[in-house]
Amino acid sequence: MKAICVFCGSSYGTRETYADAARATGRVIAEQGYTLVYGGAKVGLMGTVADAALEAGGKVIGVLPRALEDKEIGHQGLTELHLVGSMHERKAKMADLSDAFIALPGGVGTLEEIFEVWTWGQLGYHQKPCGFLNIDGYYDDLIRFLDHQTEQGFTKDVMRAMVQIAGTPEEMISLFENYTPPSAPKWIKRDET
C-alpha cells in the first residue's frame, strides 16, 4: 500500500471533532509514509486533511474537475494537482492512484464516492480496502443500515466485511495493512447455494 485516498466534506460540518479527525488523518497518513490522494480542494475538511499531510512532510495528490476549480477552490500548494474534465474522471483517477479508501464525515458526494469504490471492489475491479472513519458516531446510523441490508439478504456477509470501520486513522491504517480481500465471487449460481 503506497497511497490512501480520503473522501470527505468540502465544508467543516457542525463539530470541531470532524476537522480534528481530518487533521489527524492527514498527519498520520504522511507520518506513516503514505501518499494522500483526495479531491484537490482547499476548503472544508478536504483542505484540512491536505494541509495536515503537507505540514507533516507528506506527498499530497489532488484530483479536481475543472468545472469545480473555482467553487471548491483548487489547492495550489499540493505535490500534484490533476485537473480533469468530469466527476467520473475524478473518481477514476483517484481510484487509479490509490491503494485504499477512507470516508471521513461528509455529505452526499462523500457517500457516493466511497460507495462507488466499494461497489467496484464487490464486482472484482479491484481488491483495495475501503473504510468509514466513524468520528463521534457520525456513521452509526449508516453502519446500522448496512448491517440491516446484509441481514435482509441484499449484501452478502463477505461483501459487507469489505468495508472497515474505525474510530481513529491509526486504527484504520492498521485494518488496511491487515486487509484480506474476499476470495468468493459476488454472484453464486443458484445450484451452488
Side-chain angles (χ1 to χ4, degrees):
M1 186 169 66
K2 297 177 184 174
I4 298 175
C5 181
V6 173
F7 302 124
C8 58
S10 59
S11 62
Y12 293 101
T14 59
R15 297 183 184 179
E16 182 61 32
T17 53
Y18 302 150
D20 293 343
R23 277 189 286 279
T25 301
R27 178 184 48 77
V28 168
I29 288 171
E31 287 176 351
Q32 293 197 18
Y34 297 110
T35 296
L36 168 67
V37 176
Y38 85 113
K42 72 175 187 178
V43 296
L45 297 184
M46 293 172 72
T48 303
V49 72
D51 288 341
L54 290 167
E55 288 167 13
K59 181 178 178 183
V60 180
I61 301 173
V63 183
L64 185 66
R66 285 181 191 88
L68 294 179
E69 191 174 8
D70 292 332
K71 294 177 181 135
E72 288 189 352
I73 311 173
H75 198 304
Q76 300 305 309
L78 305 177
T79 310
E80 297 175 30
L81 177 61
H82 298 267
L83 294 176
V84 295
S86 69
M87 289 296 288
H88 294 294
E89 289 178 52
R90 178 195 226 179
K91 291 181 292 184
K93 183 72 170 175
M94 292 168 79
D96 287 344
L97 293 169
S98 304
D99 301 300
F101 306 90
I102 297 174
L104 285 170
V108 172
T110 299
L111 292 176
E112 188 267 337
E113 289 166 331
I114 193 71
F115 280 126
E116 185 159 3
V117 294
W118 180 21
T119 300
W120 292 347
Q122 288 185 31
L123 296 174
Y125 296 157
H126 68 74
Q127 294 189 323
K128 304 171 184 180
C130 305
F132 290 96
L133 198 56
N134 192 22
I135 306 305
D136 274 352
Y138 182 78
Y139 284 116
D140 282 353
D141 290 335
L142 177 62
I143 294 163
R144 277 192 288 275
F145 176 75
L146 295 176
D147 292 341
H148 172 72
Q149 190 177 45
T150 304
E151 291 163 7
Q152 296 303 307
F154 289 100
T155 302
K156 291 183 180 182
D157 289 335
V158 68
M159 298 302 157
R160 170 63 184 85
M162 291 174 69
V163 175
Q164 311 299 298
I165 309 296
T168 67
E170 293 90 349
E171 180 186 359
M172 183 66 76
I173 290 173
S174 177
L175 289 170
F176 285 172
E177 289 172 340
N178 294 294
Y179 176 74
T180 302
S183 57
K186 178 176 169 55
W187 293 279
I188 298 175
K189 293 178 186 174
R190 290 265 183 221
D191 59 348
E192 295 177 5
T193 57

